[in-house]
Amino acid sequence: MEYDKVINEIFFDLDFDASEGKVADYIPELAKVDPNKFGVHLCTLDGENFGLGNYNEAFSIQSISKVLSLTLAFKLDGDRIWQRVGVEPSGNPFNSLVQLEYEHGIPRNPLINSGAMVICDMLISKLENPKEDFLNFVRNIAGDPSINYNPKVAGSELEHGHRNVALANFMKSFNNITNSVEEVLDFYFCQCSLEMSCRQLAHTFLLYAAHGTLPETGKEIISVSKAKRINAIMQTCGFYDESGDFTFKVGLPGKSGVGGGITAVYPGSYSVSVWSPRLNKKGNSVLGIQFLEQLTTKTRASIF
Amino acid sequence: MEYDKVINEIFFDLDFDASEGKVADYIPELAKVDPNKFGVHLCTLDGENFGLGNYNEAFSIQSISKVLSLTLAFKLDGDRIWQRVGVEPSGNPFNSLVQLEYEHGIPRNPLINSGAMVICDMLISKLENPKEDFLNFVRNIAGDPSINYNPKVAGSELEHGHRNVALANFMKSFNNITNSVEEVLDFYFCQCSLEMSCRQLAHTFLLYAAHGTLPETGKEIISVSKAKRINAIMQTCGFYDESGDFTFKVGLPGKSGVGGGITAVYPGSYSVSVWSPRLNKKGNSVLGIQFLEQLTTKTRASIF
Amino acid sequence: MEYDKVINEIFFDLDFDASEGKVADYIPELAKVDPNKFGVHLCTLDGENFGLGNYNEAFSIQSISKVLSLTLAFKLDGDRIWQRVGVEPSGNPFNSLVQLEYEHGIPRNPLINSGAMVICDMLISKLENPKEDFLNFVRNIAGDPSINYNPKVAGSELEHGHRNVALANFMKSFNNITNSVEEVLDFYFCQCSLEMSCRQLAHTFLLYAAHGTLPETGKEIISVSKAKRINAIMQTCGFYDESGDFTFKVGLPGKSGVGGGITAVYPGSYSVSVWSPRLNKKGNSVLGIQFLEQLTTKTRASIF
Amino acid sequence: MEYDKVINEIFFDLDFDASEGKVADYIPELAKVDPNKFGVHLCTLDGENFGLGNYNEAFSIQSISKVLSLTLAFKLDGDRIWQRVGVEPSGNPFNSLVQLEYEHGIPRNPLINSGAMVICDMLISKLENPKEDFLNFVRNIAGDPSINYNPKVAGSELEHGHRNVALANFMKSFNNITNSVEEVLDFYFCQCSLEMSCRQLAHTFLLYAAHGTLPETGKEIISVSKAKRINAIMQTCGFYDESGDFTFKVGLPGKSGVGGGITAVYPGSYSVSVWSPRLNKKGNSVLGIQFLEQLTTKTRASIF
């Protein structure tokens, strides 16, 4: 498959002037980003790489980090984690408290905010130095020691994230947070502040295309079975209340973040990351989804 | 892949004595079925066939029919159908009215009861003789003119389906049912009463493994793109509020019915149907899910 | 108290030109009414009467009839009725199915549609000729044999009341309707089609001001305790999701209908009915509420 | 009316041995109270007083304090307060976040936790020394400078009240809390920790029976109109999701607290407080409600 040709084609066909969508502005640090940034990077298990636009520029990966923390918790704790978080799509906006109330503090899945907080709580109980250990885990998968948190973004979230503070306290009232709410939120916002470029993200997520193994060294990070299950969760839960639509249009497992990034994987074949900060009403990158829809249509590559 | 060996292995390992789950009893006709029935049939695009147990015995396919009526409506009306029904998982029990109220009468997807009623309404507006035309459509895909409705089951549903009558009237109040509620429900219950064996079901669903084409004749029923999209919807919405769990455990697109049937497809490879009438609390066959989980684990075949 | 003076004053101060609110148009028969009609009638336990405007013209009392059917069922069945319907305000729009689902088919109170249907179901089981017997009960309280149903309005509701059909079927699915849905709805819509003038309504509701006794004859229709309890229910549940607001502003037990009527009682003192067809978003008469707010402010008569 | 005789009668008829209900145990300080305590005090506008049992022993008035803080905010800010809090019953358990989400951070009424927090936020903006000033306001109405907060109880709530922390942060995310969440919660928990005896409570609430005036001095604290409106809110919202039931059974405006206290007023006549720590599932005192139901039945005194 000549991915470079296809990616070029789509890139030049995209309507960058269309003003649809707006940059996340609930925290000042995110609102500052240039809405016209656009990058894409695809890398295959065969070692091929294709980047276009601002593919080498780091941005705030935000909720995409939830897949990485889930991976570490699943690796460390195994199937026990499913006693405290489900694997069902949420069927509600990503920050909803309603579902949580009806389900007694058990989040629907680990890729919504509440679920990711429970995962953070598990990691805090398990890791000596949660922030450092998690960062090293990510750097190791990415093969890139330069990846880092952005303390300004993390601090800004802490200051403005009243709804997330509400979520964490609510779960604490159901005893589904075992450490202090402050510690959990501090780690959660820190993890969301991770910065990566499309190139770094695509390389990191090759892990899920390669069924749990680092393609360059052949080292197993998680088992084949665990990698499949994480892909399955990305498929049904990766895009908040737009997960069905992404599956319908793009047909690949993936995860989005309010920084405008989307990463998707074709198991056994490739990993691709797109970045465009303008978001639709459901919090997902408008051009990112359009690009990926074109990609799977033109390459006829879909898991379905 | 030696499917016959694997299927035999799983079959002999299954714990048939475990009493978990109970037969659907909300209508007398369904309650009569022997809870110990068990059948499985797998057929590949290469023309191979493997059946075990009561794989040749017809049962009530119930909600599995929703995939077939969706297919016909999608074929006839194209993307216009998505103006009246969504593609998002429901995140709620399959018969919930709550979601429908908050979303102004637009069902979340075509594989829950409300969504399938809207599809029925579309077909009534489009077909000369809805019941006959739909039956012929199914017989044609199945390559089997003996397939039929069971009028007793359909009649029994009409008599006891007060919640479905409520659903249809509720959508009518939002103007999302255009024909008379009686006509829509009559067609809906009729379609649910379709009877097929595991063998017939697996053959019928080869269509979705074959990307929209009848494998034996090469005739296109729906386009590649439409077939992929229907598979995507089965993946995220095929098992009511257990769709995420089925994707997590089995990793294939599929659909269940309260008659105890489950059918799943591996795009590009095979179609498989299982039948066991004992249902879990979410309305899906207990042994059916167990069987399919073992199948994708042992064959290492999952789209993820 | 010189009620005539106060009523005259308020009447001439009301801003009839303000275009706020609109006539109920969900059924054609109700939409036909002249939006500028306005009538008021107050009668005291001492036998005084004050009418102004179109106080002698019959209109569709709609949901106000729910108080009368509740009274008959409470008289016939006593406290057993509270096993199938609650006494709590609904906290939701009057036609909501959500609450009903969470509370397993038990309506919150007898003054919302679902609750009144359960009351109808009880009366059908108890009365030989439900429609005739209920009509006679009302005529007897009103002391006026000319009061009647409007079959055109009842028929129009049956044809357009899909949401009410949904409600009844939904409760039937929870076994909280014991007769046939058709029979219950037929009686329900018939009862809603009752027509009375402000004068007739005010006379009828003197019963609740007189603690259950017909003031002219001294005959007890219901016990003091039952009358108080019905007043209590009107206080907390009489205005759908605006009950708290009505209590806050007017401070008297009362009941509204989408025909634009409102009737209120001051226990031990008087009964008052207002009619103005323009409704606010919550389904209550705009000028009706304004008039009554002025009345209790100017007369300083409030139960609080 | 010989209240002393009636109160004695009811007191000796009450079934104190019935073990129904349990003491609030969500904070250790409240769990310590002796479940068998029982006190009642009634005082009339004529200056009569009747106390029985532990009527002179101070207990944690908890949510009863919400009426007092509402009174101060209403006095200071007038009708502007209704822009940030409603007057409708909640139709949901008292600590529910669901309603708040659907209504964009505007609490249903000032007598549920969320509403009382918004009132606290208003008072903080208005008062120089919120805690001292509020305490002095209460002592002044009660005519008793010995009334005080219990810092142990307040501290215990801060430590265990995760759900309340969630509520406050949630409203902050809707911009309906203007001061810091910490300050609001600190004041809120402090106010809930007020301790009074039945005698003190009954005396304090004479204010609402006396239409806003201190009966002994004739000094107006709030206007007649404001007093009536607060009574109206107590009537429809004073008992969480049991408000309709209390109105139905007792027929007087009132307010309960999880400390086991209930206070009720008969406008123009008397004020009565009961204390019994065993609570029903809706958080209201079992014996307290029974006592008041008997009281209004035997004295035939109800506003309806």
Side-chain angles (χ1 to χ4, degrees), chain C residues 89-104:
Chain C
S90 63
N92 260 312
F94 63 100
N95 42 19
S96 173
L97 284 152
V98 178
Q99 196 101 48
L100 209 47
E101 179 154 26
Y102 287 123
E103 296 177 346
H104 310 292

Side-chain angles (χ1 to χ4, degrees), chain B residues 1 21 83 93-94 103 108 113 153 161 164-165 178 186 216 237-238 255 274 302-303:
Chain B
M1 175 63 65
Q83 292 164 12
F94 63 100
E103 296 177 346
R108 295 281 288 183
N113 294 13
V153 171
N164 283 317
V165 182
T178 60
D186 182 47
E216 283 172 36
C237 314
K255 183 74 198 88
V274 201
S302 143
I303 59 174

Side-chain angles (χ1 to χ4, degrees), chain A residues 24-38:
Chain A
D25 57 3
Y26 69 101
I27 61 168
E29 283 302 314
L30 286 182
K32 284 179 191 166
V33 79
D34 177 355
N36 298 316
K37 293 287 183 182
F38 183 92

Side-chain angles (χ1 to χ4, degrees), chain C residues 88 108 228 241 244-245 304, chain D residues 88 108 228 241 244-245 304:
Chain C
E88 291 300 330
R108 296 280 288 182
K228 282 182 183 178
D241 198 30
D245 203 54
F304 300 115
Chain D
E88 292 300 330
R108 296 281 288 183
K228 283 182 182 178
D241 198 30
D245 202 53
F304 301 115

Side-chain angles (χ1 to χ4, degrees), chain A residues 74 79 82 87-92 99 103 108 211 224 227-233 235-236 240-249 253 267 282 293 296-297 300-304, chain B residues 74 79 82 87-92 99 103 108 211 224 227-233 235-236 240-249 253 267 282 293 296-297 300-304:
Chain A
F74 200 10
D79 281 329
W82 310 119
V87 294
E88 292 300 330
S90 63
N92 261 311
Q99 196 101 47
E103 297 177 345
R108 296 281 287 182
H211 303 306
V224 174
K228 283 182 182 178
R229 282 163 204 262
I230 292 173
N231 284 339
I233 294 172
Q235 190 73 65
T236 49
Y240 308 121
D241 198 29
E242 207 176 1
S243 298
D245 203 53
F246 187 82
T247 300
F248 182 78
K249 284 181 180 158
K282 299 202 165 173
E293 188 177 5
T296 53
T297 301
R300 296 175 151 261
S302 142
I303 59 174
F304 301 116
Chain B
F74 200 11
D79 281 329
W82 310 118
V87 295
E88 292 299 330
S90 63
N92 261 313
Q99 196 101 44
E103 296 177 346
R108 295 281 288 183
H211 303 307
V224 174
K228 282 182 181 178
R229 282 163 203 263
I230 292 172
N231 283 337
I233 295 172
Q235 190 73 66
T236 50
Y240 309 122
D241 198 29
E242 207 177 0
S243 298
D245 202 53
F246 187 81
T247 300
F248 182 79
K249 285 181 179 157
K282 300 203 164 174
E293 187 177 6
T296 53
T297 301
R300 296 174 150 262
S302 143
I303 59 174
F304 301 116

Side-chain angles (χ1 to χ4, degrees), chain C residues 82 87-89 91 99 108 228-229 231-233 235-236 241-245 247-248 253 267 300 303-304, chain D residues 82 87-89 91 99 108 228-229 231-233 235-236 241-245 247-249 253 267 300 303-304:
Chain C
W82 309 118
V87 295
E88 291 300 330
Q99 196 101 48
R108 296 280 288 182
K228 282 182 183 178
R229 283 165 203 260
N231 283 339
I233 294 173
Q235 190 73 65
T236 49
D241 198 30
E242 208 176 359
S243 299
D245 203 54
T247 300
F248 181 79
R300 294 178 153 262
I303 59 175
F304 300 115
Chain D
W82 309 119
V87 295
E88 292 300 330
Q99 196 101 45
R108 296 281 288 183
K228 283 182 182 178
R229 282 163 205 262
N231 283 338
I233 294 173
Q235 190 72 66
T236 50
D241 198 30
E242 207 176 0
S243 298
D245 202 53
T247 300
F248 181 79
K249 285 181 180 158
R300 294 175 152 262
I303 59 174
F304 301 115

Side-chain angles (χ1 to χ4, degrees), chain C residues 29-43:
Chain C
E29 284 302 315
L30 285 182
K32 284 179 192 165
V33 79
D34 177 355
N36 297 317
K37 293 287 183 184
F38 183 91
V40 60
H41 191 93
L42 183 149
C43 45

